[in-house]
Amino acid sequence: MPAREQCGVVGVSLQSTGAAPYLFRGLRALQHRGQESAGIATSSHGTLYHRKGMGLVHEIFGQEILDTLRGPVGIGHVRYSTTGSSDLENAQPIVVKIRDQDGAIAHNGDLVNFEWIRRRLQAQGVELLGDADTEMMAQLIAFEYGRTRELDAAIRRAAAELVGGYAVVLLAGGRVYAFRDPLGIRPLVLGTVDGGAAVASESVALELMGGKATRDIAPGEVVVLDKGQVVKTSSIASPGARAHCMFEWVYFSRPDSIAEGRSVYEARYRLGERLAKESPAEADLVVPVPDSARPQALGFASVSGIPYAEGLIKNRFVERTFILPDQRRREFEVRVKLHPVPGLLRGKRVVLLDDSIVRGTTLREIVQMVRSAGASRVDVRVGCPPIRAPCYFGVDMKARRELVAHGREEAEVAQVIGADSVHYVSVAGLVEAIGLPAQDLCLGCLTGKYPVDVPEERHRFQKSLGEF
Ligand code: SF4
């Protein structure tokens, strides 16, 4: 089983030396996408420098370590493992041999046809050391490079075989190659920084690197950065075919990011407005589950006229619950992470806004906490339709049985989490709030229809594998 992860990537190419501090700042901005491990690889005059470690970016990379990562070009990665194999060996970037030189590769996402490609490579005599998607991608690219002797052509040939959602940064020959799956399931943004060019999983990372996003890397596009410039772009995608992960707007991306030209904050606010219209509630207070549901709660309050209140306070020094891999740790840390404001909720009918419900374990604890604080009623409203099917493209929602909405109607979910009612925003409401056409979004975990062929799952009717 390949490692499954929801991660963040960054890459930078400068005209003069000093890529590491930029990568450090970019990774810190992407810390919410993975908190288990982080890594940076840079290159100077053909020599690769790299360092990775377990923990948060600032815990791994002190100034002394950053000073050892030389050169004007590099890539970085933050990782969240969902397999339990949260060890340093699986941290990225991983070092690879490409162009007869040391290079490095890092990626965000998951492949559906991992086993098929692994067997194909092994049949060609390629030795694979581990079972990670990342190594296999690197070996596939190296294999194709042996045929084409041109790296971006090798990437295009390799990408044409990879089925799934991925955003990749590759450091080789003093250049950064950044590419994205042919449907743009996982995000990747291109921009400028002082004296150079950069890519990152989210626009906010480019801004925190002191630069700005110029555009999203198109689905299937391969972008080459060299000496601080974008020197080449090419594509393997069919024009117009897209399936951006709706979960980026719902939960993953920071609210101050812009994805596919759509503000994440505004999408979340509109989700709250839409919920207030679709599923109104008689209540005294609208309370968000902090921090991720604040915009939704503000939107709900503005339409409903019910006062907004920060009834739950978050301890800012505890990591996000969903991206902590161990279930018992998750439950324990809800209590450490959130605390109700004394007196504020007593005797009140509370509408509790959450961004999404995956397993329901965290929300059950929170509903209990709101009741213990004296709320007379807790009505839950959710800014994402019921998640009823697994994700195969890099988000940790693996098995139907783990999903609280699988096989349950809203009233049954309310019973499980101990709320007086639960209502989710509709799929149409979600699509309208994001502001992109439904056929340009991946809604696989909501509808059970996926944008690429997944064994034993239904394929979304608009696209077939042959169109990639
Ligand atoms: S299945 Fe769901 S979480 Fe996975 S990529 Fe599609 S929309 Fe995102």
Side-chain angles (χ1 to χ4, degrees):
M1 189 75 173
R4 289 172 180 268
E5 53 213 22
Q6 171 66 29
C7 307
V9 295
V10 61
V12 67
S13 169
L14 303 174
Q15 284 152 9
S16 55
T17 70
Y22 287 84
L23 295 163
F24 174 75
R25 290 202 295 273
L27 289 180
R28 289 208 71 182
L30 298 177
Q31 188 76 81
H32 59 290
R33 299 182 74 88
Q35 299 160 1
E36 276 204 359
S37 63
I40 290 177
T42 60
S43 168
S44 176
H45 303 293
T47 302
L48 190 80
Y49 301 87
H50 59 103
R51 178 66 77 113
K52 54 191 184 180
M54 303 302 292
L56 301 176
V57 176
H58 73 277
E59 294 166 346
I60 301 163
F61 295 100
Q63 192 58 50
E64 274 180 26
I65 290 175
L66 286 176
D67 288 344
T68 66
L69 297 166
R70 300 197 190 134
V73 59
I75 61 172
H77 187 264
V78 284
R79 178 171 194 260
Y80 159 57
S81 140
T82 65
T83 56
S85 56
S86 56
D87 49 36
L88 191 56
E89 198 185 318
N90 287 313
Q92 299 182 34
I94 63 165
V95 174
V96 289
K97 270 263 186 266
I98 292 182
R99 284 180 156 186
D100 308 321
Q101 285 181 21
D102 280 341
I105 187 168
H107 97 287
N108 165 28
D110 254 348
L111 301 178
V112 177
N113 62 341
F114 175 89
E115 280 304 328
W116 185 85
I117 294 178
R118 180 217 271 280
R119 282 198 294 274
R120 181 181 170 279
L121 280 172
Q122 285 172 335
Q124 303 279 352
V126 176
E127 196 185 343
L128 290 167
L129 301 175
D131 66 350
D133 288 11
T134 326
E135 188 210 350
M136 203 206 52
M137 277 185 191
Q139 294 289 5
L140 184 61
I141 292 166
F143 177 74
E144 294 296 347
Y145 179 69
R147 292 172 158 189
T148 61
R149 310 308 295 172
E150 211 190 315
L151 198 44
D152 57 318
I155 291 170
R156 285 197 304 277
R157 287 175 71 109
E161 297 204 32
L162 305 173
V163 178
Y166 54 85
V168 183
V169 284
L170 171 69
L171 173 63
R175 292 176 156 192
V176 170
Y177 298 79
F179 57 102
R180 204 173 168 199
D181 63 79
L183 294 175
I185 296 174
R186 301 263 66 92
L188 197 57
V189 180
L190 175 66
T192 54
V193 292
D194 192 19
V199 295
S201 294
E202 292 184 37
S203 62
V204 67
L206 297 167
E207 285 169 21
L208 269 84
M209 288 159 81
K212 64 176 194 299
T214 47
R215 67 176 176 86
D216 294 279
I217 291 181
E221 185 178 7
V222 183
V223 172
V224 186
L225 310 183
D226 189 22
K227 299 183 180 63
Q229 310 270 346
V230 176
V231 291
K232 196 167 180 182
T233 81
S234 55
S235 179
I236 61 153
S238 343
R242 289 167 177 268
H244 308 304
C245 170
M246 62 84 199
F247 218 49
E248 293 290 343
W249 287 275
V250 162
Y251 175 78
F252 270 123
S253 288
R254 277 175 49 154
D256 45 349
S257 279
I258 308 282
E260 310 303 330
R262 302 295 187 277
S263 156
V264 174
Y265 182 91
E266 285 172 20
R268 290 181 189 169
Y269 190 91
R270 283 194 293 269
L271 281 165
E273 291 181 319
R274 180 84 187 207
L275 267 169
K277 289 177 195 155
E278 290 183 359
S279 303
E282 293 277 322
D284 304 306
L285 291 177
V286 177
V287 174
V289 173
D291 295 323
S292 49
R294 278 203 187 114
Q296 294 89 324
L298 285 164
F300 193 98
S302 78
V303 167
S304 66
I306 302 168
Y308 170 92
E310 302 261 354
L312 296 167
I313 301 302
K314 185 176 172 186
N315 177 348
R316 278 178 285 158
F317 298 99
V318 181
E319 304 92 330
R320 293 174 80 174
T321 304
F322 180 63
I323 58 172
L324 292 172
D326 178 77
Q327 180 66 30
R328 273 174 307 168
R329 212 169 117 198
R330 230 180 242 136
E331 285 170 12
F332 170 72
E333 285 181 357
V334 172
R335 298 264 156 196
V336 178
K337 186 170 115 174
L338 290 180
H339 188 253
V341 176
L344 188 65
L345 306 178
R346 189 167 303 131
K348 298 288 194 314
R349 296 168 301 168
V350 170
V351 183
L352 188 64
L353 263 287
D354 204 356
D355 54 78
S356 55
I357 312 180
V358 180
R359 299 168 187 86
T361 47
T362 307
L363 191 54
R364 189 174 61 220
E365 297 282 325
I366 295 170
V367 169
Q368 184 53 43
M369 187 182 290
V370 172
R371 286 203 194 281
S372 301
S376 60
R377 194 179 160 86
V378 185
D379 292 288
V380 171
R381 299 293 180 265
V382 190
C384 177
I387 294 168
R388 296 201 161 107
C391 175
Y392 297 91
F393 313 126
V395 177
D396 179 20
M397 302 188 299
K398 281 186 282 219
R400 282 179 165 82
R401 66 186 146 72
E402 290 178 359
L403 305 170
V404 70
H406 174 63
R408 289 190 181 97
E409 295 304 319
E410 287 177 332
E412 294 168 299
V413 174
Q415 218 173 13
V416 171
I417 64 168
D420 290 288
S421 72
V422 169
H423 290 295
Y424 297 86
V425 76
S426 63
V427 174
L430 169 73
V431 169
E432 193 184 282
I434 293 172
L436 293 171
Q439 66 268 23
D440 287 358
L441 292 169
C442 178
L443 304 168
C445 52
L446 310 177
T447 61
K449 294 181 198 161
Y450 296 89
V452 301
D453 275 340
V454 177
E456 294 172 29
E457 296 283 5
R458 282 184 294 167
H459 191 120
R460 200 168 79 189
F461 71 94
Q462 295 98 322
K463 300 183 178 82
S464 66
L465 206 57
E467 286 180 66
F468 296 155

